[in-house]
Amino acid sequence: TYTLWNKELETLFGFKESEVIGKTDEEIFIHAGEISNYLATDKWVMEEKEPILIQKLAIQVENKQIYARTFKIPILDSNGEVESILGILENITDVVSSQEELAKAEKRWNYALSGSRDAVWDVNLITKETFYSAVFNEMLGFKAFEILPYAWEDLVHPEDLSKAWNLFVEHLEGKSHFYECEYRLRRK
């Protein structure tokens, strides 16, 4: 049964403290998504006397889907028995929504890439990790999804590298809205 219910939980779930204190999860979260899994973890914490982390819990409250990360920590009495469970809930709904949107965008990007005959490369300027599209790889004599052991600058023809690099740097410095340059690439 609940002994504490803060303002954040009131805002998140729409239940006042007076509606929750003294009640169980089953009484409060009727038809609430993964509540049976949530209750099973309570039982596990009681039996094992160990804390647990639930990375992603879906909770349905009226017409609203909430995703939470929750920690359950057993509070032991002087005999080492669980007298209560401290639950800490973090609302990760925005994080889950962002991840879903990112996955959709990535899927659209992959459809666009696979449907075009454009040779595309992308570099992470922090990690230096470079992505080459299948068309890019094939154009240079590699297999479509082969991981190239070269950095972009190693593939650019030596006579074109200075111009290509300088235009790239100018773009990164905000001097152009996009990077556009014709240059030769070395084949495998």
Side-chain angles (χ1 to χ4, degrees):
T1 60
Y2 282 90
T3 58
L4 296 170
W5 189 260
N6 65 27
K7 294 291 182 194
E8 280 297 314
L9 292 171
E10 284 185 5
T11 302
L12 186 62
F13 293 110
F15 298 124
K16 297 283 183 206
E17 182 181 31
S18 60
E19 298 172 283
V20 173
I21 300 301
K23 293 186 179 172
T24 65
D25 284 321
E26 294 126 313
E27 294 172 300
I28 300 165
F29 297 107
I30 301 166
H31 309 297
E34 300 174 6
I35 197 66
S36 60
N37 294 339
Y38 189 73
L39 296 173
T41 60
D42 279 354
K43 183 178 178 194
W44 185 89
V45 170
M46 295 288 285
E47 291 171 358
E48 299 298 321
K49 302 176 187 170
E50 293 288 331
I52 192 168
L53 168 64
I54 302 171
Q55 288 287 353
K56 182 179 167 189
L57 175 68
I59 305 167
Q60 187 74 33
V61 179
E62 295 177 5
N63 295 334
K64 184 169 59 169
Q65 181 76 44
I66 296 168
Y67 291 97
R69 177 180 7 254
T70 185
F71 301 89
K72 295 184 177 190
I73 303 160
I75 306 299
L76 306 179
D77 63 18
S78 58
N79 296 321
E81 297 301 317
V82 177
E83 69 179 10
S84 62
I85 297 174
L86 171 63
I88 302 169
L89 184 131
E90 177 186 6
N91 183 356
I92 60 168
T93 305
D94 291 343
V95 172
V96 171
S97 295
S98 295
Q99 289 170 339
E100 289 170 353
E101 288 301 315
L102 183 60
K104 286 179 192 175
E106 187 172 346
K107 190 179 264 188
R108 282 192 300 270
W109 165 248
N110 286 326
Y111 285 146
L113 262 183
S114 65
S116 78
R117 292 301 303 160
D118 291 334
V120 176
W121 62 270
D122 181 47
V123 63
N124 181 323
L125 298 175
I126 297 168
T127 66
K128 307 279 191 243
E129 180 183 5
T130 306
F131 163 81
Y132 302 106
S133 70
V135 173
F136 189 99
N137 282 11
E138 290 171 343
M139 184 176 71
L140 297 183
F142 295 92
K143 294 178 183 167
F145 297 102
E146 185 176 348
I147 296 175
L148 275 62
Y150 307 104
W152 169 81
E153 57 269 22
D154 297 328
L155 296 169
V156 177
H157 190 284
E159 293 175 12
D160 298 338
L161 183 58
S162 178
K163 173 186 160 195
W165 184 257
N166 288 337
L167 287 171
F168 183 58
V169 170
E170 286 177 12
H171 170 66
L172 294 178
E173 291 173 343
K175 295 177 182 173
S176 66
H177 293 293
F178 51 88
Y179 174 67
E180 183 175 16
C181 181
E182 286 189 32
Y183 52 86
R184 295 169 288 176
L185 294 167
R186 296 194 271 186
R187 290 183 50 85
K188 183 176 182 182

